[in-house]
Amino acid sequence: MEILGYNAISAAGRTSEELLSALLKGAPCSQKALDGGFICPIPKSSEKEMTTVRERLGLYLQENWDRVRPTLPSEISDRLNSGARVAFVFASTKGIIEDFIWTDASDGREAPDPFSAVIDDFLSKEASLNWVLSCGLSNACSSTHVALEYVQELFEQDRMDFAFLFAADLVGPFISQGFQSLKLVSPTGSRPFGENRDGLQLGEGAALFLLAKNGEFSRGLRLTHVRSETEGSSITRPSQNGDGLFRALKSLEAGSLPDLVIAHGTGTVFNDQAEDQALRQLAASGGLDPKTPVTNTKWCLGHTLGASGAMDLAAGCEILKRQKVFRIESTDRPDPKLTMNYLMADRPLPAGPIRKILISSLGFGGVHAGLSLEKTK
Amino acid sequence: MKSTLVKYEITPQAPVWAHKVDRWHQLDEVSFAFCEALSRWNDLKEEPKPDLILLALEGASNVADSDFVRSGARSPAKFVYTLPNICMAVIFQFLNLKSRVFCLSRGKDTPAFAREEARFFAQAGKTVWVFSSSPLLEQGSRRVNFECFRP
């Protein structure tokens, strides 16, 4: 798939450039959360008065599109506006449910699904486009990867000319209290792959990608392959030997080895251990040079749940465009039990050009996924 | 299509399928319903193995979400089921299966949309299983459905 345009709104700011700048600067975009730990919220500007999650997500979706649209060359805009078949897929876990859940005394059976209203609002505003398919896709924290895999299938079946992939999750009391109940929130901040890691920090993110099939309107950034696997391991923990993620990564299209890995790296003991095992297996099978630097975004942007793959993808696109790599600045001591080349705070940055990036993902419910991103120009 | 109505009752006595899934007594309504139905759909193992599974829950995880909040928003055992895709992990434990899963959502049209997508995937040469359920109860029970689409 070709990435024709993208933008990411995150705790770092309203653009993908600000996202990369924050990661390069080396300071987390976090603040203390009221109920413990740290959180990386999207800084509020025009949405200050907004009261519903639906309104906020609608604003972020429209703002992303308003930033992407002017960057499109006329050949793409013209094709998009001349009846081309367009799909809209909204990837999210559930950061959108806050509005009714605390006040609705019912058991939720009559409540609408939490995704469709945001989609319908946007499609009606952009009614001039030929929307032939729209849906929500919710595969836990791998929602972005799985949604991209679905879009990949739509292109392979020649059912679409373009696809909008919107990935977003916000943090409200439901998410916050839920993760606190699981005891997964670090009281001190996220240190992915660190010896003293003790949990994650939650974050908010909303990103939009405009996609087309391989070779169509190339703008120099290509998703060469996306693949997921789901297994019936523990509901919240990945298989500790990393087999599930390894299978997904191994089945990515062969070709040149990645120059960089952006790992999911939540900063929880079990996730990071399983991910290291999977990457080690991938290296042993020849799919990755064991010295390949591994970096991460969650120490800075927080864990944006279903949007985390989108934050990593936006960061990957920026790295390929600007050839600047960021470290895992919050982690100074790597876990000695982990084996990969994690770009800790004091590690040298890669010297050579970055042409290909592997982005991994794991989610509750046994879902594992990987994608391969390449610079083609 | 296979279709079964299941009443959600966690009783002291373990169901016959209890050994197949983790902590059966903590399952949410939809996961419990699928497990109960799977125990009745004996011929499911004769279906061709799926290349892809589509999970179509019309109300996403709204019932589990409400259950978490109504019980005080403190229970990790309830929170883990507050994701629409989670019941698929339970189904996979039950069937000892691995596959790709797309958990799709499109309001009231979700099950019909998933079946339509399954037809497209089948035309493209894939075997697709569709698991679907509506949150609305019939005679106090939840209906769960299964359908296999072949190339």
Side-chain angles (χ1 to χ4, degrees), chain A residues 10-26:
Chain A
S10 68
R14 315 297 283 212
T15 66
S16 306
E17 291 83 358
E18 288 171 292
L19 182 148
L20 181 66
S21 294
L23 288 158
L24 291 171
K25 205 160 82 180

Side-chain angles (χ1 to χ4, degrees), chain A residues 94 101 104 109 111-113 116 134 136 138-139 149-150 153 157 159 177 228 230 232-233 236 247 364, chain B residues 29 61-62 65 70 73-74 79-80 82 85 92-93 98-101 103 105-107 117 120-121 126 135:
Chain A
K94 53 191 300 80
I101 198 85
D104 184 358
R109 293 181 195 281
D113 83 79
S116 297
S134 64
S138 186
N139 279 58
E149 189 180 24
Y150 176 48
E153 295 276 359
Q157 293 169 23
R159 293 167 56 196
Q177 290 188 35
S228 72
T230 298
S233 58
T236 55
R247 275 195 306 278
F364 282 6
Chain B
E29 181 185 296
S61 56
N62 284 344
D65 300 344
R70 302 284 91 79
R74 291 279 185 276
F79 183 67
V80 295
T82 65
N85 66 306
F92 280 176
Q93 283 181 5
K98 302 176 179 72
S99 184
R100 294 190 298 152
V101 177
C103 180
S105 183
R106 203 166 77 169
E117 285 302 292
F120 278 114
F121 281 104
K126 292 185 168 68

Side-chain angles (χ1 to χ4, degrees), chain A residues 123-205:
Chain A
L123 266 53
S124 62
K125 277 185 197 161
E126 301 293 334
S128 61
L129 299 185
N130 179 25
W131 303 108
V132 296
L133 182 150
S134 64
C135 67
L137 191 145
S138 186
N139 279 58
C141 297
S142 295
S143 292
T144 297
H145 280 66
V146 179
L148 286 165
E149 189 180 24
Y150 176 48
V151 170
Q152 178 178 264
E153 295 276 359
L154 295 176
F155 286 138
E156 283 174 8
Q157 293 169 23
D158 194 26
R159 293 167 56 196
M160 299 297 146
D161 300 306
F162 296 98
F164 283 58
L165 188 288
F166 178 56
D169 258 311
L170 305 179
V171 180
F174 187 99
I175 298 296
S176 184
Q177 290 188 35
F179 276 90
Q180 289 285 1
S181 79
L182 291 175
K183 302 193 189 313
L184 287 179
V185 178
S186 165
T188 53
S190 172
R191 292 177 295 281
F193 305 104
E195 183 178 27
N196 56 351
R197 67 188 185 278
D198 60 359
L200 52 80
Q201 57 187 6
L202 291 165
E204 295 185 322

Side-chain angles (χ1 to χ4, degrees), chain A residues 289-362:
Chain A
D289 183 331
K291 292 179 187 155
T292 306
V294 180
T295 192
N296 171 272
T297 67
K298 290 182 181 63
W299 63 270
C300 176
L301 305 173
H303 188 352
T304 56
L305 308 177
S308 63
M311 297 298 112
D312 291 350
L313 181 56
C317 291
E318 289 296 310
I319 289 172
L320 292 179
K321 276 163 69 174
R322 301 174 201 288
Q323 293 295 303
K324 289 182 177 172
V325 178
F326 48 84
R327 297 183 177 90
I328 311 173
E329 292 283 357
S330 68
T331 304
D332 51 4
R333 290 199 316 272
D335 183 339
K337 294 193 285 296
L338 305 185
T339 56
M340 298 305 291
N341 176 23
Y342 297 102
L343 274 179
M344 302 304 177
D346 59 348
R347 296 281 169 89
L349 292 169
I354 306 293
R355 296 195 181 90
K356 185 172 182 179
I357 300 176
L358 173 67
I359 301 175
S360 54
S361 178
L362 300 94

Side-chain angles (χ1 to χ4, degrees), chain A residues 59-135:
Chain A
L59 174 92
Y60 298 142
L61 172 53
Q62 192 65 51
E63 182 176 328
N64 273 317
W65 177 226
D66 289 344
R67 289 184 189 279
V68 169
R69 182 164 33 197
T71 68
L72 300 176
S74 58
E75 57 167 344
I76 295 175
S77 297
D78 292 348
R79 181 76 186 101
L80 199 53
N81 288 299
S82 61
R85 301 163 300 170
V86 190
F88 186 97
V89 182
F90 176 21
S92 181
T93 59
K94 53 191 300 80
I96 185 172
I97 63 166
E98 309 297 346
D99 297 336
F100 65 87
I101 198 85
W102 301 98
T103 52
D104 184 358
S106 79
D107 58 4
R109 293 181 195 281
E110 302 287 345
D113 83 79
F115 312 100
S116 297
V118 174
I119 300 172
D120 293 344
D121 289 349
F122 181 72
L123 266 53
S124 62
K125 277 185 197 161
E126 301 293 334
S128 61
L129 299 185
N130 179 25
W131 303 108
V132 296
L133 182 150
S134 64
C135 67

